[in-house]
């Protein structure tokens, strides 16, 4: 329990440091923390991964496969519902902190490319799930996390 509390405390501190004016840094590949987890996890552990699984690649699959050899693994797929069902009047400006781009969801080609991006990522995830018997649990970024987890794991909701 102490380890979980420490983890949640560190996670909370990192979350509080998020800032729209922070300098832009290169994103960390998903395989980097998975490599660390595969290296340090002991046999018989329960490993839980919360991710949108953006950046899924061969290395990601290799490390997850390594973890499943002697451990239980649960993958929580965090999705923004807008990525699956774009509003017809979507017109947004996105930025990485340096560059900006306007996305107009009214164009069918834009909708198709965004949908293909999401479905391709999910296809890799579900293919891995089927091959290795790893459960994938869906979480929505549009809802509070705790009630979703309680519901999905059979607990009482608040």
């Amino acid at each position: 329990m102490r380890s979980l509390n420490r983890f949640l405390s560190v996670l909370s501190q990192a979350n509080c440091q998020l800032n729209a004016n922070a300098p832009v840094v290169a994103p960390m590949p998903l395989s980097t923390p998975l490599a660390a987890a595969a290296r340090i996890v002991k046999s018989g552990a329960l490993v839980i991964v919360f991710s949108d699984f953006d950046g899924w690649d061969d290395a990601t699959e290799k490390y997850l496969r390594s973890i499943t050899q002697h451990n239980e693994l649960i993958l929580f797929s965090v999705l923004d519902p807008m990525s699956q069902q774009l509003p017809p009047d979507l017109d947004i400006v996105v930025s990485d902190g340096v560059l900006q781009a306007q996305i107009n969801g009214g164009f069918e080609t834009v909708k198709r490319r965004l949908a293909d991006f999401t479905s391709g990522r999910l296809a890799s995830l579900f293919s891995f799930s089927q091959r290795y018997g790893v459960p994938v649990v869906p979480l929505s970024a549009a809802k509070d996390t705790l009630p979703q987890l309680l519901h999905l794991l059979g607990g009482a909701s608040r």
Side-chain angles (χ1 to χ4, degrees):
M1 190 60 137
R2 262 191 350 213
S3 295
L4 177 59
N5 283 335
R6 192 174 81 229
F7 168 74
L8 291 174
S9 176
V10 168
L11 185 61
S12 176
Q13 289 170 6
N15 189 52
C16 288
Q17 292 176 358
L18 293 175
N19 181 332
N21 297 320
V24 176
V25 295
M28 179 188 302
L30 178 57
S31 59
T32 301
L34 293 176
R39 187 179 68 253
I40 64 173
V41 69
K42 295 177 175 40
S43 293
L46 171 62
V47 177
I48 301 173
V49 178
F50 290 86
S51 177
D52 64 359
F53 295 97
D54 184 25
W56 183 284
D57 60 12
D58 291 340
T60 300
E61 189 163 327
K62 177 180 105 173
Y63 294 123
L64 288 173
R65 223 176 32 246
S66 171
I67 291 169
T68 63
Q69 288 178 347
H70 302 288
N71 303 286
E72 296 296 320
L73 177 65
I74 302 175
L75 304 175
F76 283 85
S77 176
V78 182
L79 291 175
D80 182 340
M82 263 188 37
S83 67
Q84 295 175 310
Q85 181 84 31
L86 294 177
D89 60 346
L90 176 72
D91 190 13
I92 59 173
V93 176
V94 295
S95 173
D96 66 359
V98 176
L99 300 175
Q100 288 184 329
Q102 184 168 357
I103 298 177
N104 184 334
F107 295 111
E108 284 304 314
T109 55
V110 172
K111 285 182 186 177
R112 189 172 54 251
R113 285 185 181 165
L114 289 171
D116 289 350
F117 173 76
T118 300
S119 63
R121 176 178 31 172
L122 293 176
S124 298
L125 177 63
F126 289 125
S127 174
F128 176 85
S129 171
Q130 288 180 329
R131 283 194 316 273
Y132 299 102
V134 174
V136 175
V137 182
L139 288 176
S140 172
K143 298 178 183 175
D144 288 337
T145 305
L146 183 58
Q148 287 181 83
L149 288 173
L150 288 172
H151 173 75
L152 291 167
L153 300 175
S157 60
R158 289 183 165 184

